[in-house]
Amino acid sequence: MTEPTRVPPEKLDEAQISGAGDMDPASFRAAAHATVDIMADYLEGIRERPVLPQVEPGSLAPLFASVAPEAPEPIGEILADYRRLIEPNVTHWQHPRFFAYFSSAASGPGIIGEMLTAALNANVMLWRTSPAGTELEQVVVDWFRQGLGLPEGFDGLLTDTASMSSLIALAAAREAAGTDAAAQGLPARTDVPKLRVYASAEAHSSIEKACMTLGLGRSALVRIPTDDQFRLRIDALERAIAEDRAAGYLPIALVGTVGTTSTTSVDPVAEMAEIARREGLWLHVDAAYAGAVALIPERRGPFAGWELADSIVTNPHKWFFAPVDASLLLTRRMPVLRNAFSLVPEYLRTLDQAGPVRDYNEYTPQLGRRFRALKLWIMLRYFGLEGMRHRIESHLAMAARFADWVDGDPDFERMAPTPFSTVCFRYRPASLAATQDEPAASERIDELNTRLMDAINKTGKAFVSHTRLHGRMVIRVAIGNLRTQDADLVSVWQLIRDEAAALTVAPPA
């Protein structure tokens, strides 16, 4: 095939001139080739960009036209403005020194899958609206199930984020408790006591949001204290359930986390599963970040007991290298999910269909659904499970090295265990170490670490984030970008130490 003619910036396509129809295939081909060149250039040069743009809130909107254009504009000009206005002013999640939050790096094959998904524009709501989309989703979900080492009883579906996956799971838990909330709503059931959901103090805020959204209320979520390693305390959980039952509440679900957001701590899921079985509760396991590690059979120790859960969530758009968005919800109780969300108006009935099919819209709040399985299918075939494991292992090894550097430096201290690839630490200069437990010294250390994180991020050379543990300011370095190399790890550690050394430390009072 000959190289397509690039669209000159000053030229309008024929469809733009005529005012009818879509961009013609020849113009689309040329524009798409130009766009792919831009994408490849971006990924090739991303290491040279500052991770965080040095812009202030409100400074970007004035750079764009304040009203929508009346006349069509050439695609070349639009792409040029994209490079001028968008690329320099985004936070570069694809950057190899993006160490904040949890990594969400989109791989090349995942991006290709996303492009093809957009071209097909399939709505995977009914089998008939996307036969390939529906059945490939079933295939890909089972590929992940097998790769994660879960038993055949698990089935599932793809959603946008872990927040939605957990909401669906808790809606199913609400239905499984016999509330009939899907049909009658909770206000109509005066005979149903107030419901309770239990999760650790370190559980993700999406669990609380799910309780808000499902009409349970934020007060329905009981936050269970954690131990010195930030894991849910079983004794406190059992006591909370007993006290709630005695007070007339109705416990419906436990949420165990494997890889909490702040510290990546691991709740005792196996013990929680036994409590759930004994108490008749739904057990949901949030492994949105850490689930990828279960691809490695030798590393499945932290996941012990999750095979007993009623539902599990893990996010391919985190540590599996898929473009946002893609979340995997697995469950042993698909019929309960369907009971929680099934609604089939006449216009969605397929009267000429022979044989049973899966219509995914009956398992989720949404009707429209993206063809997420396509990019995951392409990615899994491109990397293979072996390739995924190798990349995840390399990130685990990097995190172990970084943790060793922190432990070996007298001016820094690690603030939590490192079971996966996130290191929580803080700067604690020797001049303050002896007095760090005094309130004034503790505040000075917090202030130093706030200044340190700000200084690191302002350099544009790396992006780190923070949390609070036992009320103390803590810096997090989360490793999970498939473009991160050993040299990036060395450079960010040097940057952290250099910026720390440049801080002025106030002497103890």
Side-chain angles (χ1 to χ4, degrees):
M1 182 182 293
T2 59
E3 180 71 14
T5 303
R6 298 290 185 257
V7 180
E10 71 280 359
K11 184 179 179 182
L12 293 176
D13 295 338
E14 192 60 40
Q16 291 177 290
I17 296 169
S18 69
D22 188 18
M23 177 188 282
D24 66 78
S27 296
F28 174 79
R29 180 173 284 109
H33 276 269
T35 302
V36 169
D37 284 344
I38 290 171
M39 294 162 65
D41 289 346
Y42 173 75
L43 295 175
E44 184 177 36
I46 193 155
R47 187 179 295 275
E48 310 310 316
R49 294 177 181 270
V51 189
L52 276 173
Q54 299 303 303
V55 294
E56 297 298 325
S59 64
L60 298 178
L63 302 178
F64 299 87
S66 59
V67 295
E70 286 287 344
E73 300 179 13
I75 190 66
E77 289 184 10
I78 298 168
L79 293 177
D81 280 349
Y82 160 82
R83 301 194 82 163
R84 180 175 64 89
L85 297 173
I86 305 300
E87 280 190 0
N89 295 314
V90 298
T91 298
H92 297 290
W93 285 74
Q94 299 279 56
H95 200 291
R97 291 190 297 280
F98 184 107
F99 295 114
Y101 311 112
F102 286 133
S103 178
S104 183
S107 62
I111 294 170
I112 290 169
E114 199 70 78
M115 293 163 63
L116 292 172
T117 299
L120 291 173
N121 197 34
N123 186 342
V124 190
M125 60 180 185
L126 306 172
W127 179 89
R128 92 180 297 176
T129 62
S130 185
T134 297
E135 298 195 21
L136 184 61
E137 184 161 341
Q138 292 175 271
V139 168
V140 166
V141 165
D142 200 58
W143 280 6
F144 274 108
R145 177 197 65 77
Q146 295 174 52
L148 296 171
L150 289 165
E152 288 186 5
F154 278 91
D155 197 349
L157 65 152
L158 300 172
T159 74
D160 51 3
T161 62
S163 296
M164 180 56 70
S165 292
S166 292
L167 185 146
I168 292 170
L170 290 180
R174 184 183 63 178
E175 202 67 14
T179 63
D180 199 23
Q184 298 190 51
L186 290 176
R189 295 294 306 274
T190 56
D191 59 318
V192 175
K194 192 167 183 179
L195 309 183
R196 282 288 200 249
V197 175
Y198 305 86
S200 91
E202 295 292 315
H204 193 267
S205 60
S206 61
I207 305 304
E208 191 167 349
K209 275 201 170 184
C211 289
M212 294 164 60
T213 306
L214 292 169
L216 309 182
R218 293 174 63 182
S219 62
L221 179 63
V222 181
R223 293 279 190 174
I224 304 299
T226 59
D227 62 17
D228 59 358
Q229 295 188 48
F230 306 99
R231 303 171 301 189
L232 178 143
R233 282 174 40 200
I234 290 295
D235 63 321
L237 173 63
E238 292 185 315
R239 184 165 56 251
I241 294 172
E243 290 174 354
D244 281 347
R245 288 202 187 278
Y249 294 107
L250 177 61
I252 64 169
L254 311 181
V255 179
T257 308
V258 179
T260 57
T261 303
S262 286
T263 66
T264 70
S265 59
V266 178
D267 287 338
V269 171
E271 294 175 79
M272 294 179 73
E274 173 56 27
I275 293 172
R277 183 200 62 77
R278 186 180 71 227
E279 298 284 344
L281 307 181
W282 186 285
L283 174 61
H284 177 60
V285 173
D286 179 355
Y289 150 72
V293 177
L295 290 176
I296 307 167
E298 299 78 17
R299 296 232 182 221
R300 288 180 185 155
F303 300 88
W306 77 332
E307 72 281 359
L308 303 173
D310 296 281
S311 56
I312 297 170
V313 60
T314 190
N315 279 1
H317 71 223
K318 284 192 171 72
W319 208 353
F320 296 86
F321 320 125
V324 172
D325 55 33
S327 179
L328 172 65
L329 175 61
L330 294 164
T331 180
R332 294 187 292 116
R333 305 177 70 181
M334 283 292 277
V336 183
L337 261 66
R338 188 175 182 277
N339 290 342
F341 291 105
S342 180
L343 178 65
V344 186
E346 187 61 36
Y347 50 80
L348 293 180
R349 297 185 188 279
T350 48
L351 305 179
D352 59 345
Q353 199 160 268
V357 297
R358 173 166 292 174
D359 292 331
Y360 274 112
N361 78 90
E362 294 192 64
Y363 298 82
T364 72
Q366 306 103 321
L367 178 58
R369 301 179 70 252
R370 299 182 66 240
F371 189 1
R372 296 184 181 92
L374 182 58
K375 62 187 173 188
L376 301 180
W377 178 67
I378 291 172
M379 275 180 43
L380 285 171
R381 293 187 64 188
Y382 179 86
F383 289 119
L385 291 176
E386 180 180 326
M388 301 284 280
R389 294 183 189 113
H390 178 76
R391 288 163 174 82
I392 293 164
E393 279 281 15
S394 71
H395 295 150
L396 293 167
M398 286 183 189
R401 285 199 298 278
F402 193 92
D404 285 345
W405 295 341
V406 171
D407 292 343
D409 192 309
D411 285 334
F412 288 85
E413 64 177 338
R414 193 148 48 110
M415 300 297 289
T418 305
F420 300 112
S421 68
T422 299
V423 184
C424 296
F425 65 99
R426 68 174 181 165
Y427 177 46
R428 185 217 50 192
S431 60
L432 293 178
T435 59
Q436 65 174 320
D437 292 329
E438 298 175 10
S442 180
E443 288 179 10
R444 283 199 299 274
I445 293 173
D446 281 354
E447 185 260 343
L448 274 175
N449 281 276
T450 300
R451 288 167 53 200
L452 174 58
M453 182 178 71
D454 188 51
I456 294 164
N457 291 339
K458 280 185 176 178
T459 68
K461 297 176 182 178
F463 182 25
V464 298
S465 58
H466 79 286
T467 190
R468 283 195 173 270
L469 301 177
H470 299 309
R472 296 171 178 172
M473 168 72 181
V474 173
I475 296 173
R476 296 169 70 261
V477 165
I479 301 164
N481 188 316
L482 76 175
R483 299 176 186 88
T484 301
Q485 300 174 1
D486 289 339
D488 296 302
L489 205 64
V490 171
S491 68
V492 75
W493 177 236
Q494 188 62 52
L495 175 66
I496 290 167
R497 293 192 298 166
D498 288 347
E499 293 299 329
L503 294 175
T504 299
V505 181

